[in-house]
């Protein structure tokens, strides 16, 4: 039970956002996962900084912010301002990843790099020691409620091997299609943080669902 749970706000009831966040505050969740989309990097748009400013006022858990946008470094200061604890940027959206990671850290946040399902983990070989976390996408980014891509379990194993080989302290987070069954296999493979959207927010009792994920 050393792993962390980061419920994804994307699947919450937006008409009752305050109630949903208060539920997260009372839950066993470690973080709150925030998905920001631009309609360019991914074929969907979620929510932006004016909404998240209010989320930050209510949420008592650290914010785990996942940017599915092009040119993510343009928004480092805004992400900091909405209270992000950790800022996740996509490998596929970053031309100068090393510089971007340093800029995130200089702004006072933890830095994480996210890999799409098709991006191999060995591409992180020369940067993994600089990262606080790697976020592996186990669905194609853009929507909640998609089917888990099986290949992701094997990627966790390979990433864990790379982290150990490099003597790094990098956490492994997995995002997409997580439930009790896939979550258990991801933890056994070496994942440190599980993101879960639909499985938490669409369940009849989200508090006990979060607790079940936490006690995997
Ligand atoms: C997908 C997002 C995920 C999403 C996960 O683009 O990055 O965080 O909310 O949702 P579920 O857990 O429903 O697959
Ligand atoms: Zn996400």
């Amino acid at each position: 039970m050393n792993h962390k749970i980061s419920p994804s706000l994307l699947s919450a009831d937006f008409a009752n956002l305050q109630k949903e966040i208060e539920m997260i505050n009372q839950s066993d969740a470690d973080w709150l996962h925030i998905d920001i989309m631009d309609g360019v990097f991914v074929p969907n748009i979620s929510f932006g900084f004016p909404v998240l400013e209010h989320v930050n006022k209510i949420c008592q858990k650290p914010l785990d912010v996942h940017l599915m946008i092009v040119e993510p470094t343009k928004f480092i200061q805004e992400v900091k301002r909405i209270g992000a604890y950790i800022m996740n940027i996509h490998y596929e959206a970053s031309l100068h990843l090393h510089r971007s990671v340093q800029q995130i850290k200089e702004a006072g946040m933890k830095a994480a790099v996210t890999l799409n399902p098709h991006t191999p983990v060995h591409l992180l070989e020369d940067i993994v020691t600089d990262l606080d976390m790697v976020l592996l996408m186990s669905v194609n980014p853009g929507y909640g409620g998609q089917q888990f891509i099986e290949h992701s379990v094997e990627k966790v194993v390979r990433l864990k091997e790379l982290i150990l080989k490099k003597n790094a302290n990098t956490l492994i987070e997995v995002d997409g299609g997580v439930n009790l069954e896939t979550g258990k296999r991801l933890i056994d493979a070496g994942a440190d943080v599980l993101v879960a959207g639909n499985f938490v927010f669409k369940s009849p009792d989200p508090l006990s669902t979060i607790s079940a994920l936490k006690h995997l």
Side-chain angles (χ1 to χ4, degrees), residues 24-165:
I24 294 294
N25 288 344
Q26 286 163 29
S27 76
D28 287 338
D30 298 275
W31 297 345
L32 179 62
H33 186 83
I34 304 282
D35 290 300
I36 303 181
M37 304 178 188
D38 65 354
V40 179
F41 183 72
V42 287
N44 195 12
I45 295 176
S46 53
F47 31 64
F49 300 115
V51 173
L52 295 171
E53 223 177 285
H54 293 281
V55 169
N56 183 38
K57 279 184 202 152
I58 306 165
C59 190
Q60 292 160 8
K61 308 272 177 171
L63 300 183
D64 163 33
V65 180
H66 176 196
L67 289 143
M68 283 159 276
I69 64 172
V70 295
E71 300 186 61
T73 43
K74 264 189 184 170
F75 297 99
I76 289 176
Q77 290 313 320
E78 277 86 346
V79 173
K80 173 72 183 163
R81 202 170 45 81
I82 57 142
Y85 166 69
I86 188 158
M87 176 169 169
N88 300 263
I89 59 170
H90 268 260
Y91 178 89
E92 302 81 7
S94 309
L95 217 46
H96 302 285
L97 192 57
H98 186 272
R99 179 187 292 146
S100 305
V101 165
Q102 303 315 318
Q103 287 173 340
I104 293 169
K105 289 182 175 175
E106 278 161 22
M109 294 176 285
K110 302 272 184 202
V113 169
T114 308
L115 298 186
N116 270 337
H118 71 275
T119 306
V121 298
H122 70 78
L123 292 175
L124 297 177
E125 201 173 320
D126 290 320
I127 194 146
V128 74
T129 51
D130 294 293
L131 305 179
D132 294 298
M133 189 169 80
V134 173
L135 168 52
L136 294 178
M137 289 309 301
S138 42
V139 297
N140 285 296
Y143 303 94
Q146 301 181 82
Q147 172 99 30
F148 182 76
I149 298 173
E150 276 302 319
H151 176 60
S152 318
V153 180
E154 198 189 308
K155 279 180 88 169
V156 173
V157 173
R158 270 186 280 122
L159 177 57
K160 189 75 188 178
E161 282 169 7
L162 176 65
I163 290 168
L164 292 173
K165 185 177 109 191

